[in-house]
Amino acid sequence: MSEIENFEYKNNPIFLFDGYCNLCNGAVDFILKHEKSPDIIFGSIQSPPAQILLKSYGINVEKLETSYVIYKGNLFEKSEGSLQLAPFLKKPWSYLSVFQIFPISFLNIIYDFVSKNRYRFFGKKETCRIATVSEKDRFL
């Protein structure tokens, strides 16, 4: 638990994603390639550390169907979580923050549609993503 507690006290955002989802894993690869600096911590929602974190925010880990971002002690989900990561990306990707002008409820309609169909549209892995040696310090 001490390793998890250390993450909670950092100002780094933690991106919790579906480790089986090809779209989610693609998002992790995209972030790793386009982030300004190595600030974002990653974790599969299926992993024990991520589940402990999510439980601490009152999330039922028996039925996880979205991604989450924990940043500065706050839990964000769906499109709101994704938008929290935009400022950490290099230009022009950081401009995705402009979508914050739209109501989250509207953005979540799109997010929910993609999320419910993610395995059908993008496929599913047999096992969760495993961090490479160079990524190891970036994953819960």
Side-chain angles (χ1 to χ4, degrees):
M1 181 73 174
S2 62
E3 181 181 355
I4 294 167
E5 289 171 354
N6 288 339
F7 284 117
E8 289 184 296
Y9 296 109
K10 288 185 176 184
N11 285 328
N12 298 55
I14 302 170
F15 177 44
L16 303 175
F17 64 97
D18 180 349
Y20 294 111
C21 172
N22 285 336
L23 174 62
C24 300
N25 281 284
V28 171
D29 291 338
F30 180 86
I31 292 167
L32 287 167
K33 181 177 179 182
H34 296 286
E35 66 185 332
K36 292 176 190 173
S37 61
D39 294 323
I40 301 169
I41 305 298
F42 302 92
S44 163
I45 59 175
Q46 292 85 3
S47 71
Q51 295 211 346
I52 291 168
L53 278 172
L54 290 169
K55 284 179 186 177
S56 75
Y57 284 91
I59 300 296
N60 177 3
V61 297
E62 299 300 318
K63 189 174 182 183
L64 296 172
E65 297 182 356
T66 188
S67 62
Y68 299 89
V69 172
I70 298 171
Y71 185 48
K72 293 186 178 178
N74 297 303
L75 178 77
F76 302 94
E77 63 181 0
K78 300 184 180 184
S79 60
E80 190 173 21
S82 300
L83 290 173
Q84 292 295 314
L85 299 177
F88 292 89
L89 301 177
K90 295 175 191 170
K91 293 178 183 175
W93 305 110
S94 61
Y95 297 139
L96 291 171
S97 296
V98 74
F99 283 102
Q100 291 178 350
I101 65 170
F102 295 103
I104 292 299
S105 57
F106 169 73
L107 295 174
N108 281 344
I109 291 170
I110 299 164
Y111 185 99
D112 288 340
F113 174 77
V114 173
S115 178
K116 287 178 184 170
N117 294 288
R118 68 189 184 277
Y119 294 147
R120 187 165 45 118
F121 293 161
F122 302 99
K124 183 176 180 178
K125 294 182 177 297
E126 293 295 317
T127 59
C128 281
R129 176 191 180 111
I130 298 173
T132 65
V133 173
S134 63
E135 299 170 342
K136 190 174 189 253
D137 293 339
R138 305 284 306 282
F139 283 74
L140 297 178

